[in-house]
Amino acid sequence: MTINTLAKGGWHREQMACFRKMEKVIVAMQDPDMGMKMRNQRLLITVIPHAMTGRDIIDWLIQKHNICEEEALHVGGMLVRYGYIYPLKEPRSLVLRPDESPYRFQTPYFWTSTRWPASELDYAIYLAKKNIRKQGELMEYEKERYSVLHKRINHTWDFVVMQAREQLRASKQRRKADRIVLECQEQAYWLINRSPPGVHNVLDIGLERPNNPNLQVTLNSDYYKREIETCRRALGRNRVKSSICLEGFVKYSEQYQNHDPIMQGCLPSNPWISDDTAHWTTNAETVPTPTRLRVERWSFSFMELLNDSMGRREFMTYLEKEFSAENLCFWQACEDVRHGESSKIIEKVEDIYKNFLAPGAARWVNIDSKTMDKTLEGIKRPHRFVMDDAQMHIYFLMKKDSYPRYLKSDLYKNMLAKAIVPQETKKSVFPFMRRQRHASPSPAQAVAQATEEDEGAKGAGQAGTNSAAGAHA
């Protein structure tokens, strides 16, 4: 959504996925069931409908995405800076304040992905309207741009002034709350598309930034050699036949068939349709004795073992006997860096280096020199994925060496032998299938029932008379 979406030479820039992701967050925030609760917000003496506060935005992001307050403030600030949420209290400052300052959602018409062109004529009408309403009280940079546009499109300036006055006349017929909302909405749009001097323009990394002509590829022999090499590698890439894929899918389904609660049912009972919570209790993260199905899943794959907290604990006990528990500790520390808080990444990376990678470390792990050099080079600029190569090396080391020996060990066999198999409990599944309570019948039913009883009595009397006459004969 930039003025010039086409660079010199006619090269289009691919759309960036970050705008789509932010728009998905905005749509989720406006969901009527799981989204934010909108309410009236007071701005001085004016009540603004369908608004929310900065604290509401941060709390919703923390609860929805399970992030810390610092990350929620950063994400919410991005949504405000890119114009998806605009402030009502201080419309000149696109900043998310973690207090009771009122905010509103920008209408999708002004979203970046709509590519609505921000033309000079529209900007001139906006400045003229603001100049008439504020009686010449424009910002210094707005006055300079106003004069430049007056000279540049002088031939249509009468139309600009007329359009500005018509829009002001139409806005006076609206309520005061609606006028404030539309003014803040329009101002937020132009703060993004015509940012003030000295302020970072978010559209520089936006949807369709014009490419730099100096970065265009020169079509020479080296370029075509690289293209040929890329195509050759693509042709040599291994493909898997569909029959092999289907065979693997069938094998996977057969392996997990007995562990599927939909296909085989839950033991001792299904907690979703009964009042029995024994299924949750026996399959909690930490229990004295796990179920047999749970222990059997540990042998399906190494990742099944690591994904289970109790399986990791049992595997750690085995590694301690093998004097290689530092491998699993290192893997868990890398997982904490990868999925933990951003503010503690540097501290956690330093702890991993001191405990596992530094020369003479207390829990030093065995990593090849090439991976170690690459990891030590990345530690100088720590980020979430700086330990990926070292973590993958230790992961395959445990998978190929320690994990097969653990499945053959007495520790796993004893755990499998003493694992419990819950007995199925027979309970009433559907409460509405219980025996109906005795209730007084309606008058119509009572009359009908009495009529049926009388007819039954007459029928019985006639039958008795006929039987008596037959016996006499």
Side-chain angles (χ1 to χ4, degrees):
M1 188 175 168
T2 55
I3 301 173
N4 181 18
T5 58
L6 203 62
K8 296 179 181 179
W11 284 45
H12 285 281
R13 185 172 186 265
E14 295 182 358
Q15 296 182 354
M16 296 184 64
C18 60
F19 287 92
R20 299 297 183 189
K21 293 179 180 179
M22 284 191 285
E23 290 169 7
K24 289 182 180 179
V25 175
I26 292 296
V27 172
M29 294 174 75
Q30 299 182 68
D31 186 84
D33 298 326
M34 304 299 294
M36 296 185 58
K37 304 301 180 184
M38 312 299 291
R39 59 180 184 270
N40 296 338
Q41 298 291 339
R42 184 174 295 277
L43 187 65
L44 296 180
I45 60 174
T46 307
V47 177
I48 307 297
H50 305 293
M52 67 279 186
T53 64
R55 172 49 56 184
D56 294 338
I57 298 173
I58 295 175
D59 293 341
W60 186 88
L61 290 172
I62 293 174
Q63 182 180 3
K64 177 67 176 180
H65 299 284
N66 194 18
I67 56 179
C68 64
E69 184 174 358
E70 181 181 359
E71 291 179 330
L73 182 61
H74 174 69
V75 174
M78 287 184 61
L79 297 176
V80 175
R81 286 196 304 273
Y82 283 89
Y84 292 101
I85 299 174
Y86 60 91
L88 298 172
K89 187 176 182 180
E90 297 181 7
R92 292 185 180 275
S93 178
L94 297 180
V95 177
L96 179 63
R97 305 183 185 279
D99 52 18
E100 299 301 319
S101 300
Y103 292 83
R104 277 189 62 134
F105 291 110
Q106 182 68 282
T107 178
Y109 178 74
F110 292 110
W111 282 4
T112 309
S113 60
T114 58
R115 306 182 186 180
W116 184 59
S119 63
E120 293 182 348
L121 182 62
D122 294 329
Y123 189 51
I125 295 173
Y126 164 73
L127 291 179
K129 184 168 55 175
K130 192 174 181 181
N131 187 41
I132 296 172
R133 184 175 60 246
K134 299 292 184 180
Q135 298 180 355
E137 294 182 2
L138 295 176
M139 303 293 290
E140 290 298 329
Y141 75 93
E142 291 178 337
K143 292 180 180 179
E144 295 177 1
R145 294 177 179 177
Y146 186 78
S147 61
V148 170
L149 290 173
H150 186 275
K151 296 177 183 179
R152 185 177 300 174
I153 55 176
N154 190 24
H155 58 286
T156 59
W157 197 253
D158 293 337
F159 171 76
V160 170
V161 176
M162 181 186 67
Q163 188 69 19
R165 289 175 177 173
E166 287 295 330
Q167 292 184 13
L168 286 176
R169 187 179 297 110
S171 66
K172 290 181 180 179
Q173 299 177 1
R174 300 187 180 95
R175 297 184 306 169
K176 184 178 180 180
D178 296 336
R179 291 201 304 268
I180 294 176
V181 167
L182 291 176
E183 291 173 6
C184 296
Q185 187 180 64
E186 191 176 15
Q187 185 170 9
Y189 171 78
W190 288 113
L191 284 175
I192 294 173
N193 289 270
R194 294 292 189 277
S195 57
V199 178
H200 175 63
N201 185 8
V202 295
L203 294 183
D204 285 343
I205 53 174
L207 194 63
E208 289 187 358
R209 178 183 60 188
N211 285 334
N212 187 357
N214 299 325
L215 300 178
Q216 294 183 7
V217 179
T218 305
L219 302 179
N220 51 18
S221 59
D222 294 335
Y223 169 77
Y224 289 110
K225 287 180 181 179
R226 290 194 299 268
E227 289 293 319
I228 292 173
E229 184 62 28
T230 302
C231 295
R232 184 178 293 128
R233 287 198 301 267
L235 291 174
R237 190 179 299 120
N238 294 330
R239 266 76 173 179
V240 181
K241 294 182 179 180
S242 58
S243 59
I244 299 178
C245 294
L246 293 175
E247 183 180 353
F249 179 74
V250 171
K251 183 178 179 181
Y252 176 87
S253 301
E254 292 176 350
Q255 187 179 31
Y256 282 86
Q257 181 178 3
N258 295 330
H259 300 260
D260 192 335
I262 297 179
M263 301 297 295
Q264 301 295 332
C266 301
L267 292 177
S269 64
N270 194 332
W272 285 280
I273 59 177
S274 66
D275 298 332
D276 189 10
T277 60
H279 178 74
W280 304 125
T281 306
T282 56
N283 290 277
E285 289 189 1
T286 303
V287 292
T289 305
T291 61
R292 187 175 182 86
L293 292 177
R294 183 176 182 179
V295 180
E296 285 179 355
R297 288 176 69 97
W298 299 350
S299 63
F300 290 173
S301 66
F302 185 45
M303 189 53 67
E304 284 283 354
L305 177 66
L306 295 180
N307 288 336
D308 193 338
S309 58
M310 193 167 184
R312 286 198 308 271
R313 189 186 66 182
E314 294 296 325
F315 189 56
M316 178 68 77
T317 304
Y318 173 76
L319 292 180
E320 288 176 353
K321 295 180 179 180
E322 296 286 326
F323 302 101
S324 57
E326 65 277 358
N327 292 334
L328 185 56
C329 294
F330 175 76
W331 184 86
Q332 291 177 339
C334 294
E335 285 290 299
D336 191 19
V337 171
R338 190 170 188 178
H339 303 287
E341 298 181 7
S342 300
S343 58
K344 298 182 180 180
I345 288 179
I346 299 178
E347 178 183 353
K348 292 178 180 179
V349 169
E350 292 178 354
D351 292 340
I352 291 177
Y353 174 75
K354 293 178 182 178
N355 295 330
F356 300 100
L357 302 178
R363 313 187 76 176
W364 186 79
V365 292
N366 185 15
I367 300 176
D368 61 276
S369 59
K370 184 178 180 180
T371 305
M372 179 68 77
D373 294 340
K374 186 176 180 180
T375 303
L376 294 180
E377 183 66 24
I379 288 177
K380 298 177 182 178
R381 297 178 297 276
H383 51 85
R384 286 189 182 276
F385 312 103
V386 69
M387 294 290 175
D388 278 5
D389 294 332
Q391 183 187 15
M392 188 62 64
H393 178 82
I394 296 299
Y395 173 82
F396 282 111
L397 183 65
M398 294 189 295
K399 181 179 179 180
K400 295 179 180 180
D401 182 41
S402 302
Y403 176 63
R405 288 190 285 109
Y406 167 70
L407 296 180
K408 298 177 183 178
S409 65
D410 295 336
L411 183 66
Y412 176 74
K413 293 179 181 179
N414 294 335
M415 177 63 70
L416 186 63
K418 68 179 182 180
I420 60 175
V421 179
Q423 299 297 323
E424 184 177 4
T425 58
K426 298 294 184 180
K427 284 197 173 185
S428 178
V429 178
F430 300 105
F432 53 79
M433 293 182 62
R434 295 172 183 169
R435 187 174 58 183
Q436 296 182 355
R437 297 179 179 178
H438 296 287
S440 299
S442 63
Q445 292 178 346
V447 172
Q449 186 176 2
T451 304
E452 292 177 357
E453 291 179 355
D454 294 341
E455 292 179 354
K458 291 180 181 178
Q462 292 179 357
T465 305
N466 297 334
S467 60
H472 178 72

